[in-house]
Amino acid sequence: MTRVLYPGSFDPVHNGHVELIETAARLFDEVVVGTLMNPSKGGGLFTLEERMELIDECFAHLANVSTMMFDGLVVTLAQQVGADFIVKGLRAVSDFEAELQMAQTNLVISGMHTIFLPTASRRSFLASRLIREVSRLGGDVSEMVPEPVSRRLAAKVGSSDR
Ligand code: PNS
């Protein structure tokens, strides 16, 4: 049985993440989606709890996908959940340098390898940062995120700074 950890900040989860999780759920026996703070990205829009709730709602139909949130190192969470590998998505060559550096760092500090899965080119432009920005400024993000996320974004943005 192979269990993988797919870590990310998922603020919010978008259709590129959905594709990656669905692919991983076909390739591996169990997929744990780990919602973590990215130390370089600040506080974010959704709390870790809210991000996790949205992921749970979007993947309720996949029995081998579960969600966890964690404040710490990816490799610590990977060890805690008994993951065999970390899985990360690559949207474009520009992702590769930073992802390779993280994969090599994680390998050195824990012995855990990272498996990269490419995103389909039609989704390679998707970025949570831009989705937050478009939503905050009143644009339509429904083509880029699952329906529950679209709804929560509208509610969140409507109740805050617009
Ligand atoms: O979706 P993101 O923002 O690209 O995900 C980045 C994330 C959360 C995977 C990264 O920031 C991370 O690994 N955070 C946990 C802290 C950690 O393990 N740092 C060492 C990485 S080599």
Short mmCIF file of all heavy atoms in Angstrom, two decimals, residues 3-7 30-34 64-68 77 81:
data_model
loop_
_atom_site.label_atom_id
_atom_site.label_comp_id
_atom_site.label_asym_id
_atom_site.label_seq_id
_atom_site.Cartn_x
_atom_site.Cartn_y
_atom_site.Cartn_z
N ARG A 3 1.07 5.32 0.41
CA ARG A 3 0.38 6.54 0.88
C ARG A 3 1.27 7.74 0.55
O ARG A 3 2.48 7.69 0.80
CB ARG A 3 0.17 6.44 2.39
CG ARG A 3 -0.54 7.66 2.97
CD ARG A 3 -0.73 7.50 4.47
NE ARG A 3 -1.61 6.40 4.77
CZ ARG A 3 -1.47 5.58 5.82
NH1 ARG A 3 -0.46 5.74 6.66
NH2 ARG A 3 -2.32 4.60 6.03
N VAL A 4 0.66 8.76 -0.02
CA VAL A 4 1.43 9.96 -0.36
C VAL A 4 0.85 11.17 0.36
O VAL A 4 -0.35 11.21 0.67
CB VAL A 4 1.47 10.23 -1.89
CG1 VAL A 4 2.21 9.12 -2.61
CG2 VAL A 4 0.07 10.43 -2.46
N LEU A 5 1.73 12.14 0.60
CA LEU A 5 1.29 13.43 1.16
C LEU A 5 1.40 14.48 0.08
O LEU A 5 2.45 14.64 -0.56
CB LEU A 5 2.20 13.83 2.34
CG LEU A 5 1.95 15.24 2.88
CD1 LEU A 5 0.60 15.33 3.59
CD2 LEU A 5 3.08 15.66 3.84
N TYR A 6 0.30 15.18 -0.16
CA TYR A 6 0.31 16.32 -1.10
C TYR A 6 0.19 17.60 -0.28
O TYR A 6 -0.89 17.94 0.18
CB TYR A 6 -0.86 16.17 -2.08
CG TYR A 6 -1.03 17.34 -3.05
CD1 TYR A 6 0.06 17.96 -3.64
CD2 TYR A 6 -2.29 17.81 -3.38
CE1 TYR A 6 -0.09 19.01 -4.53
CE2 TYR A 6 -2.46 18.87 -4.27
CZ TYR A 6 -1.35 19.46 -4.84
OH TYR A 6 -1.51 20.51 -5.71
N PRO A 7 1.32 18.29 -0.04
CA PRO A 7 1.27 19.48 0.79
C PRO A 7 1.10 20.76 -0.03
O PRO A 7 1.50 20.83 -1.19
CB PRO A 7 2.66 19.48 1.44
CG PRO A 7 3.55 18.90 0.38
CD PRO A 7 2.70 17.96 -0.45
N GLU A 30 -3.50 5.80 -1.10
CA GLU A 30 -4.05 6.83 -0.20
C GLU A 30 -3.36 8.17 -0.45
O GLU A 30 -2.13 8.20 -0.60
CB GLU A 30 -3.83 6.44 1.26
CG GLU A 30 -4.84 5.44 1.76
CD GLU A 30 -4.68 5.20 3.25
OE1 GLU A 30 -4.19 6.09 3.98
OE2 GLU A 30 -5.03 4.09 3.68
N VAL A 31 -4.16 9.21 -0.45
CA VAL A 31 -3.62 10.57 -0.62
C VAL A 31 -4.02 11.40 0.59
O VAL A 31 -5.22 11.52 0.89
CB VAL A 31 -4.18 11.24 -1.90
CG1 VAL A 31 -3.60 12.65 -2.06
CG2 VAL A 31 -3.90 10.39 -3.13
N VAL A 32 -3.03 11.92 1.29
CA VAL A 32 -3.30 12.84 2.40
C VAL A 32 -2.97 14.25 1.89
O VAL A 32 -1.84 14.51 1.47
CB VAL A 32 -2.45 12.51 3.64
CG1 VAL A 32 -2.75 13.50 4.76
CG2 VAL A 32 -2.68 11.08 4.08
N VAL A 33 -3.98 15.11 1.89
CA VAL A 33 -3.76 16.50 1.47
C VAL A 33 -3.41 17.30 2.73
O VAL A 33 -4.21 17.39 3.66
CB VAL A 33 -5.02 17.08 0.79
CG1 VAL A 33 -4.77 18.51 0.32
CG2 VAL A 33 -5.45 16.20 -0.38
N GLY A 34 -2.20 17.82 2.76
CA GLY A 34 -1.72 18.54 3.95
C GLY A 34 -1.78 20.04 3.73
O GLY A 34 -1.10 20.57 2.85
N ASN A 64 -10.31 7.54 -0.88
CA ASN A 64 -8.89 7.40 -0.51
C ASN A 64 -8.18 8.76 -0.37
O ASN A 64 -6.95 8.81 -0.34
CB ASN A 64 -8.15 6.49 -1.50
CG ASN A 64 -8.10 7.06 -2.91
OD1 ASN A 64 -8.91 7.90 -3.27
ND2 ASN A 64 -7.14 6.59 -3.70
N VAL A 65 -8.97 9.83 -0.28
CA VAL A 65 -8.38 11.16 -0.06
C VAL A 65 -8.81 11.67 1.32
O VAL A 65 -10.00 11.65 1.65
CB VAL A 65 -8.84 12.16 -1.15
CG1 VAL A 65 -8.37 13.58 -0.84
CG2 VAL A 65 -8.34 11.72 -2.52
N SER A 66 -7.82 12.09 2.12
CA SER A 66 -8.15 12.69 3.42
C SER A 66 -7.37 14.00 3.55
O SER A 66 -6.46 14.27 2.76
CB SER A 66 -7.80 11.73 4.57
OG SER A 66 -6.42 11.44 4.52
N THR A 67 -7.75 14.79 4.53
CA THR A 67 -7.16 16.13 4.66
C THR A 67 -6.66 16.34 6.07
O THR A 67 -7.29 15.88 7.03
CB THR A 67 -8.24 17.20 4.36
OG1 THR A 67 -8.95 16.82 3.22
CG2 THR A 67 -7.61 18.56 4.15
N MET A 68 -5.52 17.02 6.18
CA MET A 68 -4.99 17.37 7.51
C MET A 68 -4.46 18.78 7.44
O MET A 68 -4.05 19.24 6.37
CB MET A 68 -3.83 16.46 7.87
CG MET A 68 -4.22 15.03 8.01
SD MET A 68 -3.00 14.15 8.96
CE MET A 68 -3.13 14.94 10.55
N LEU A 77 5.06 16.31 9.01
CA LEU A 77 3.71 15.82 8.75
C LEU A 77 3.76 14.51 7.96
O LEU A 77 3.03 13.56 8.25
CB LEU A 77 2.90 16.88 7.98
CG LEU A 77 1.47 16.47 7.59
CD1 LEU A 77 0.64 16.14 8.83
CD2 LEU A 77 0.78 17.54 6.76
N VAL A 81 1.99 11.04 9.26
CA VAL A 81 0.90 10.31 8.60
C VAL A 81 1.38 9.01 7.96
O VAL A 81 0.59 8.28 7.39
CB VAL A 81 0.16 11.19 7.54
CG1 VAL A 81 -0.39 12.45 8.17
CG2 VAL A 81 1.03 11.50 6.35
#
